[in-house]
Amino acid sequence: MRTNTKQTVFSLEIFPPKPDADKSVIYSTLDGLADIEPDFISVTYGAGGGGNGSETLKIVSDIKHNYGFDSMAHLPCIGLTKAQAADILDRLEENSIDKEGYTIFPSFRKKGSL
């Protein structure tokens, strides 16, 4: 993510649509918000349920590559094993989302989870 020299940082957070919802809503919303030029847009990984993680990765990548905004994935990691989290991070890297482009909030509720 770029270093911001402004005093105030303005960001947006997006929750991916549920798997059975119309995905074009996200992109029409992004089109409508592009003029406000946020410093970055975060996408909550897997929000919406139903194994929605792959949609999160696509949206994060589209924000960066198609809209030109810094983007990041917000990874709650609740219930993820270390191997699952590592796989997600690898897929982010494959989509050119660097290590500054995600946050990880570990959960220690289950043995073997992050």
Side-chain angles (χ1 to χ4, degrees):
M1 298 179 85
R2 68 179 181 253
T3 303
N4 191 322
T5 57
K6 298 187 307 187
Q7 289 184 326
T8 302
V9 174
F10 180 70
S11 67
L12 301 173
E13 181 175 10
I14 292 181
F15 295 88
K18 293 184 184 282
D20 58 347
D22 180 8
K23 291 166 184 41
S24 68
V25 172
I26 285 288
Y27 296 101
S28 62
T29 300
L30 287 168
D31 290 338
L33 294 172
D35 289 343
I36 62 175
E37 299 182 2
D39 293 295
F40 69 91
I41 300 174
S42 68
V43 183
T44 300
Y45 187 86
N52 212 6
S54 62
E55 194 63 33
T56 299
L57 291 169
K58 180 178 180 342
I59 294 168
V60 169
S61 181
D62 286 346
I63 290 169
K64 179 174 183 172
H65 300 292
N66 298 336
Y67 288 87
F69 296 113
D70 285 333
S71 62
M72 62 177 283
H74 169 166
L75 305 175
C77 294
I78 294 174
L80 293 180
T81 65
K82 289 180 182 180
Q84 289 169 321
D87 179 59
I88 294 166
L89 297 178
D90 288 344
R91 288 188 283 154
L92 286 166
E93 186 176 4
E94 289 168 5
N95 284 281
S96 301
I97 307 300
D98 60 27
K99 65 181 180 180
E100 294 176 348
Y102 52 82
T103 55
I104 300 174
F105 295 95
S107 169
F108 297 100
R109 295 181 185 167
K110 293 196 300 187
K111 186 175 182 174
S113 294
L114 282 179

